[in-house]
Amino acid sequence: MILTSIIVLGALGFVFAALLALAADYFAVAVDPRVSAIIAIVPGANCGACGAGGCHDFAERVAKGEIAVSGCVVGGAEVAKKIAEIMGTAGFTVHKRVAAVHCGADNGQRWRKANYYGVKSCKNADLVASGGLMCSYGCLGYGDCFCVCAFDAIKMVNGLPQIDPEKCTACGKCVTACPRAIISLRPYDFPVRVACSSHDGPAATRKNCPVGCIACKICEKTVPDVFKVVDNLAVIDYTKTGVDCGPAIVKCPTKCILQGGKNEQK
Amino acid sequence: MELFGIFFAAFLINNILLIRFIALCSFFGVSTKIDTSVGMSLAVIFVMTISSAVSWLIFHAILVPFHLEFLRTATFILTIAALVQLEELYLKKMIPTLYRAMGIYLPLITTNCAILAVAFLAIDYRYNFVQSMVYSLGVSCGYSLAIILFAYIRERMALAPIPKWFQGYPIAFITAALMSLAFLGFTGMFGL
């Protein structure tokens, strides 16, 4: 009895081991060595900001050439350089991007038509009479962007998000979190932003906000290369790098064109 | 009709999680999110059906002729572990999408007590091959039903104002107990 049990169990174990060994060989998946090398480099946050479903998927698609080597927004230039070395396309530059808030009205300048006592979240406030604000485009100030930022790059200062360009990785989570879509991504080395999102006409904007864009087109006249007023709102053409925007910033009557940079103001 | 009875007995009346209290570790472990509980359920349905079929074959083709029924614990553990490994290798090569959907749950399931329990119970009930297949399908569907329902409740509970001393596992256990009581209501259905 002991002998048969030992033999049967041993034989079963042997058969399974042999099967597994054969299967491991037969079903072996040829993994691109570049994929595992890229996985070792990327941050591994699985944030999905690159458009792929996680870091593993990103690495596979980079190896296939579907995504650019600079696709990892969280890793930034450093990671892109290393991936470029792995992929054999070294020697190109990556343009870092950071988030920019297109509203400049903090708690003091944010005029109200009603008081909102609901859940302290922008998403909820936006649903109820535009959160009690006069402006239906501007920042609501409950910090939904601040809550989703995984990199500690957003600070709420007097009810307005302040981006730290050094910490920001342009993952885009705040861009989607904002119910009013007032956050977008700008090039890191072009530290100018229009701090207003209002498409209201000049008179309406004047009535709603002390620091809104009133579409006076002064910026368009002073720095015509960069600024253009579209649909009652100044828009910056971020492809025109190296143009001095200083005159427009100084001349803007409502001071809604802001200099960004190391310590982004407001 | 008999197979129908076996299926529903395993699915609702003797629900493996809420009535038999088997596999509670995964019931509490992976039920915090609906996504993970669905992935785990799919993996359990897949592995349980195949492993109980193979265990049944090995028991009746090898252990019974040699009068080694007492060895079934060791044999089944060996079988299930090897089988899950094989399935993992197979899926990785042949169905990568399915592998990605439930890949991380497969190794977890190797040591899941529900899989072993079903292999045992199908033999204890003296089911034939088809019956044991239907039985294991019923059990795994019951597992999925219970864990997905539980995950839905836990997602709602995460937002509910629960007293501090009940937060986390205490309230989860109370909820599981209430669900178990609710499932007792199925007793006697279909004359089972």
Side-chain angles (χ1 to χ4, degrees):
Chain A
M1 184 60 98
I2 294 172
L3 201 65
T4 40
S5 47
I6 290 173
I7 291 171
V8 166
L9 213 52
L12 267 178
F14 184 78
V15 169
F16 284 138
L19 257 177
L20 276 180
L22 282 175
D25 191 49
Y26 183 73
F27 291 127
V29 182
V31 180
D32 192 335
R34 294 178 302 182
V35 172
S36 40
I38 293 171
I39 289 170
I41 288 170
V42 291
N46 286 322
C47 63
C50 51
C55 293
H56 187 268
D57 194 28
F58 168 76
E60 274 180 359
R61 284 168 64 177
V62 168
K64 271 189 220 157
E66 289 171 14
I67 298 182
V69 287
S70 59
C72 181
V73 286
V74 177
E78 209 176 305
V79 166
K81 216 167 129 190
K82 284 185 193 157
I83 296 177
E85 274 166 26
I86 293 167
M87 295 293 294
T89 50
F92 78 109
T93 50
V94 184
H95 297 289
K96 183 185 162 160
R97 295 195 300 165
V98 292
V101 181
H102 298 292
C103 178
D106 60 20
N107 275 339
Q109 295 157 326
R110 200 174 285 151
W111 293 342
R112 296 182 170 277
K113 61 184 174 191
N115 282 327
Y116 172 74
Y117 293 110
V119 181
K120 295 266 180 274
S121 118
C122 305
K123 208 171 252 169
N124 289 306
D126 189 38
L127 297 172
V128 189
S130 78
L133 300 185
M134 296 286 282
C135 178
S136 57
Y137 294 95
C139 176
L140 292 148
Y142 297 108
D144 280 14
C145 48
F146 168 77
C147 293
V148 294
C149 184
F151 302 98
D152 195 22
I154 297 181
K155 235 180 356 184
M156 294 303 288
V157 180
N158 204 5
L160 201 60
Q162 188 179 33
I163 313 281
D164 183 338
E166 306 307 318
K167 286 183 184 164
C168 180
T169 59
C171 69
K173 279 201 174 158
C174 51
V175 176
T176 45
C178 180
R180 293 190 155 182
I182 63 166
I183 305 179
S184 70
L185 300 175
R186 66 161 173 85
Y188 173 76
D189 41 15
F190 198 142
V192 180
R193 67 190 160 109
V194 176
C196 182
S197 305
S198 171
H199 291 293
D200 282 342
T205 305
R206 270 251 190 254
K207 211 173 70 195
N208 290 340
C209 178
V211 290
C213 174
I214 51 170
C216 62
K217 300 199 176 184
I218 289 176
C219 52
E220 200 180 302
K221 279 165 205 151
T222 31
V223 189
D225 285 347
V226 175
F227 292 97
K228 192 157 177 54
V229 174
V230 181
D231 195 13
N232 292 322
L233 183 64
V235 180
I236 295 176
D237 182 359
Y238 280 117
T239 56
K240 304 277 168 52
T241 41
V243 180
D244 181 22
C245 300
I249 293 172
V250 174
K251 276 198 175 168
C252 178
T254 54
K255 297 282 170 265
C256 73
I257 299 171
L258 298 177
Q259 181 84 41
K262 198 153 178 61
N263 287 311
E264 195 140 316
Q265 42 172 251
K266 264 215 189 132
Chain B
M1 192 58 213
E2 184 212 354
L3 291 178
F4 183 78
I6 289 174
F7 181 85
F8 271 93
F11 181 53
L12 290 174
I13 296 152
N14 285 322
N15 190 290
I16 189 136
L17 287 173
L18 295 171
I19 304 296
R20 285 191 185 275
F21 308 121
I22 295 171
L24 285 183
C25 38
S26 62
F27 187 53
F28 286 98
V30 293
S31 62
T32 44
K33 272 193 199 155
I34 293 165
D35 292 353
T36 53
S37 68
V38 169
M40 183 74 181
S41 304
L42 283 176
V44 164
I45 293 175
F46 185 71
V47 172
M48 198 179 266
T49 316
I50 295 175
S51 72
S52 73
V54 175
S55 320
W56 191 93
L57 284 175
I58 284 183
F59 184 81
H60 287 278
I62 297 173
L63 296 186
V64 172
F66 287 105
H67 304 292
L68 293 172
E69 287 89 346
F70 60 90
L71 267 183
R72 63 178 190 171
T73 312
T75 318
F76 286 180
I77 289 174
L78 188 69
T79 313
I80 292 166
L83 196 74
V84 174
Q85 287 280 313
L86 261 177
E87 279 167 9
E88 203 178 345
L89 286 169
Y90 175 81
L91 285 184
K92 214 174 187 172
K93 173 84 174 178
M94 299 302 181
I95 320 169
T97 21
L98 196 61
Y99 174 76
R100 232 168 286 158
M102 57 190 213
I104 44 168
Y105 304 107
L106 282 176
L108 271 178
I109 287 174
T110 320
T111 51
N112 190 313
C113 37
I115 311 282
L116 195 62
V118 167
F120 281 165
L121 289 170
I123 282 157
D124 286 347
Y125 289 155
R126 297 178 196 287
Y127 284 150
N128 65 31
F129 185 71
V130 177
Q131 284 169 329
S132 81
M133 289 292 292
V134 172
Y135 176 72
S136 61
L137 193 67
V139 169
S140 52
C141 288
Y143 177 96
S144 312
L145 176 77
I147 199 169
I148 291 171
L149 280 179
F150 192 49
Y152 270 95
I153 297 175
R154 283 188 83 175
E155 280 206 349
R156 294 293 289 268
M157 274 197 313
L159 298 169
I162 294 164
K164 204 172 184 184
W165 44 86
F166 275 142
Q167 274 169 19
Y169 283 110
I171 194 74
F173 273 97
I174 292 169
T175 315
L178 291 174
M179 281 179 76
S180 170
L181 279 176
F183 266 67
L184 275 178
F186 289 119
T187 315
M189 249 177 135
F190 315 116
L192 289 160

